[in-house]
Structures are given as structure tokens and as C-alpha cells.
Amino acid sequence: MKTFRCQCGNRVFFLNSRCVSCNRELGYFPRLGRMGALEAAGPQLWTATGITPPGNLYRKCNHYEVEGVCNWMVEAEDPEPFCWSCRLNNVIPDLSRPRHREYWYKIECAKRYMLYGLYQLRLPVASKKHDPAHGLAFTFLAGSDSVTEFNDIIHGQDTVLTGHNNGVITINLAEADEVARARMREQLQERYRTLLGHFRHEIGHHYWDRLVRDAPETLAHFRQLFGDERRDYQGALQLHYQNGPPLGWEMHYLSSYASMHPWEDWAECWAHYMHMIDTLETAHEFGLSSADLEKSGSGLADAWLHSVRTDFSQLLDRWVQLTVALNAISHSMGLPDAYPFVLPPSAEHKLEFIHRLITRSSSLSELT
């Protein structure tokens, strides 16, 4: 993730809507991949200082202007009231319920982080409205345990399962609650569970449908690495939760959940690849990139984009160096590993497969 500069020179971040130094309002311009300070240019119209091309008019996304859960801008001539992120929403939470707005804000932040990565990788992103067959839609629902942080079950409400179905990604609102999510992580004996991780995992299922399912050669290669996805999914799911992962799963998978079924192995690897790319870019922004990049004279903001078209081994080497440092920094603060994973060789091969697939697919992207 890049960092940005306000007109006053202060460093600002992707989720900021106001500069803490000069108090200017800020907006993110997704088509440009830039943050900018806003200058009023008429009723509900804005220009952005320091943004090319200058003088263009923009509106705030409706969820920025009205709800305060977004900071993305919309071109003034765009008839849509919502930005590229918010127009993908199918169902938002019931805002009359306690804490739902707080949880929704956290969910929208994670979704925008995920979308930033997709746009940077130049992957195809479309809404269900524009592409009913291949588009995306997000549904955010509260289940029977979301309001009470999983402490006291509220009877009479439906259970909501986070998941993906034909481009529709459903997120249980409870995943935005820190206590609820930590409890689930302990119950499921997971090493890592975050909102952003959920989004990147579920979007992985979407891109399996788009990039693998209907491409015979790619599908054959997928089956060599991940296994045959035609295995009974529901049976595999039931077996996983009854008996747990197979003995020695650490030698072949990124997580115990990945061992459940080839689809979940793929989604876990897809999410991991997105974690790698975004974290490496952030590291460079703060001067934590590896020596070879520093000597090259080019920033990772450019180098990592080129890396998806070059040598995966270089990308992996940078990642290993960085995660060793991240864990050492966490230990110095008395915290557990920031990166609680070990990459077995088979997982590295799977990540490289995803890397090469994104390389081939990125030029086909069309933002709609």
C-alpha cells in the first residue's frame, strides 16, 4: 500500500479523509490511484490539488458524503452516486441496530484495501450491474450472534456464513468485532484471522471462477498443484470439522483450512499472494525494502508492478527477508509473530502459479 502527501506536505494514508496537519479534507481518486486535498468548486463539487489532470470536477461518493464510511471520489460526469468500491455493494447492514455502523465502517475499510490490490494488479473488476455473469457484489449481514460479540446467542435470527457464491461475497458483520473474531480464531485454532484476510480469501474464489474454471490448460495445471476440485465439497467440509486437518498438513499447505479442499487451498494461496504484494509495497514506502531494490534506484511502487511480469523467485526472496524482520520487530514489542506462517515448497509452487496467472491476466482488466 502506498502512502501519499497532502498539499501541505504531510504524509497521509489510504483511509484518511482529513489531514491531521492542515485539516484539509482528503479524497481518494481510484482511477488515478492517488489521494488529494479537496477544494470546493460548487455545490457538492470538488477539485483536487496536486492531482493530474488539474481542474477536473469530482463528487464525494454517497457513502462519503452521507454515511461517512468511505473516502473515495467519483467523476462529476459519472451518473452513479457511489464510487467504484461502494457501487459493488448489494446489501449493507441495518444501521438502526447497535454498533452496526461501526462494524460497517471497518468492513468498508477492509474492502477498499482489497480492491486497491486488485486494481494495482490490473485484474478484471466489474459490478454485477455491468456484468451479471462475471461481476462482483457484496452482502454484509448480521447473524444470530453479531450484536452480542458471540457472548450470548440471540435466538430467532438467521445464521450468516461468510462465503462466496457466483460472484456474491457475503461477510458476517460479526467478523468486524475484535472480540468475536479472536474467539473464533481460538476455537478454530487458526494462526491468522482478519477482515482483510476474509476479503482476499473470498475474492480468490471469484477469480478461480474467472481465471481457472473455463480455461482447460490452466485447470489441468491447477489440478496438478492443488488437487481435483471435483471432490465432494460438502463432504470434505464435514470431514474437516469432524476430524481436523490431516497429520503433517504443515508440509504441504499454508493453513490447516487449506488442506480441506482444493478450492480452499487456492483461496488461501490467493489471499496470501495479495498479502505479500501489498506488504512489500508498504515496506518500501517506509524504507524497509531489501538492499537490491535500494541499489536499483527504482521504488518498489514501480518494481513490484514489474515483478508480476518477471521472476517470482526474486519476489519470494524479498518476502522472506521482510517477514523475518517483521517477526523480530514484533518480538521486540513483546508481541507474537506478525507473520505466523512457514512456506513449504509445495505452497511456494502454488503461489508461483497464481503469480504467473495474474501476469497473463492483468492486461485484460477493464474497470467498470
Side-chain angles (χ1 to χ4, degrees), residues 85-342:
S85 174
C86 292
R87 69 185 60 172
L88 298 176
N89 290 348
N90 183 38
V91 178
I92 66 170
D94 178 359
L95 300 182
S96 68
R97 301 294 299 274
R99 302 191 70 184
H100 278 201
R101 184 179 296 274
E102 172 194 345
Y103 294 157
W104 182 35
Y105 171 75
K106 292 179 180 179
I107 285 173
E108 290 291 350
C109 289
K111 174 161 68 79
R112 292 200 302 278
Y113 255 89
M114 182 270 296
L115 288 171
Y116 171 91
L118 298 181
Y119 294 145
Q120 290 290 83
L121 290 169
R122 297 189 175 96
L123 285 161
V125 179
S127 68
K128 280 287 186 185
K129 177 180 177 180
H130 288 89
D131 188 349
H134 303 105
L136 275 170
F138 292 90
T139 296
F140 307 134
L141 296 173
S144 59
D145 43 20
S146 61
V147 175
T148 57
E149 303 174 3
F150 288 169
N151 291 323
D152 299 303
I153 300 299
I154 298 176
H155 297 289
Q157 291 182 256
D158 293 333
T159 298
V160 174
L161 298 177
T162 293
H164 168 268
N165 182 23
N166 192 31
V168 178
I169 292 175
T170 300
I171 302 291
N172 186 338
L173 209 61
E175 294 292 349
D177 185 280
E178 300 291 342
V179 174
R181 195 168 59 252
R183 180 168 296 175
M184 288 299 293
R185 185 177 65 244
E186 291 299 317
Q187 288 178 357
L188 297 175
Q189 299 182 341
E190 296 174 330
R191 295 178 290 184
Y192 174 90
R193 188 183 183 96
T194 67
L195 260 179
L196 183 54
H198 279 310
F199 274 104
R200 287 173 172 166
H201 175 101
E202 299 305 337
I203 205 69
H205 289 301
H206 173 68
Y207 283 104
W208 189 90
D209 288 348
R210 293 207 64 171
L211 304 179
V212 179
R213 182 186 62 193
D214 300 323
E217 290 186 9
T218 303
L219 182 59
H221 192 185
F222 167 87
R223 288 171 178 164
Q224 291 175 0
L225 291 170
F226 294 87
D228 193 337
E229 84 289 350
R230 292 169 293 189
R231 283 174 46 201
D232 176 25
Y233 181 85
Q234 291 301 322
L237 183 67
Q238 184 178 4
L239 189 65
H240 176 78
Y241 283 116
Q242 283 181 349
N243 301 334
L247 188 65
W249 65 265
E250 299 93 340
M251 302 299 295
H252 305 282
Y253 301 97
L254 281 168
S255 68
S256 61
Y257 191 62
S259 70
M260 191 267 285
H261 189 276
W263 280 336
E264 300 305 338
D265 192 9
W266 159 271
E268 289 286 87
C269 288
W270 180 278
H272 211 87
Y273 184 80
M274 292 193 73
H275 291 333
M276 291 168 61
I277 295 298
D278 196 22
T279 308
L280 282 167
E281 186 183 27
T282 305
H284 177 76
E285 289 289 302
F286 288 92
L288 299 175
S289 55
S290 58
D292 62 326
L293 281 177
E294 295 296 338
K295 293 176 182 177
S296 72
S298 63
L300 188 60
D302 296 321
W304 79 272
L305 281 173
H306 292 303
S307 75
V308 301
R309 297 170 177 82
T310 56
D311 186 3
F312 175 76
S313 64
Q314 294 181 25
L315 180 66
L316 186 63
D317 182 61
R318 295 167 189 164
W319 179 242
V320 171
Q321 293 181 47
L322 177 62
T323 55
V324 170
L326 287 175
N327 285 345
I329 292 170
S330 291
H331 299 163
S332 296
M333 293 290 293
L335 298 171
D337 287 346
Y339 182 72
F341 299 94
V342 176

